[in-house]
Amino acid sequence: RFGKKIHGKGVKVELLEEGIRVDVYCVMKFGVSIPTVAQGIQDNIRQALINMTALETEEINIHVVGIQFESQNPEPEYQEEL
């Protein structure tokens, strides 16, 4: 895994006069399209906040703090002996 280790709970929300500011700290899997995934996260958060609170969002910031690589340890294979 590549990236910083400690980021609290991963979500920070601030209520401002202009609206809500959300910071999301996440780890992405290696190989995904980071801009596409980040845009999807922003869209989902924006829609959920509008549905639940009827408040507009000022900012939704997605911080990619790490990349999760595939496990280097393959699953052990068991062979039955006859």
Side-chain angles (χ1 to χ4, degrees), residues 1-70:
R1 192 171 150 210
F2 176 72
K4 295 181 179 179
K5 299 292 182 196
I6 300 172
H7 294 286
K9 301 276 187 218
V11 178
K12 179 180 175 185
V13 179
E14 295 179 70
L15 184 57
L16 308 171
E17 290 182 15
E18 303 85 26
I20 299 172
R21 179 184 302 151
V22 180
D23 289 285
V24 177
Y25 299 88
C26 58
V27 177
M28 301 275 184
K29 285 187 177 181
F30 179 76
V32 300
S33 172
I34 292 175
T36 303
V37 173
Q39 183 66 50
I41 294 169
Q42 286 177 324
D43 293 342
N44 288 338
I45 291 171
R46 185 174 292 109
Q47 191 61 45
L49 287 172
I50 289 171
N51 290 342
M52 289 188 234
T53 66
L55 296 173
E56 289 295 320
T57 54
E58 176 68 18
E59 294 178 7
I60 300 174
N61 301 307
I62 308 300
H63 305 274
V64 179
V65 297
I67 303 295
Q68 179 69 47
F69 294 98
E70 295 280 332

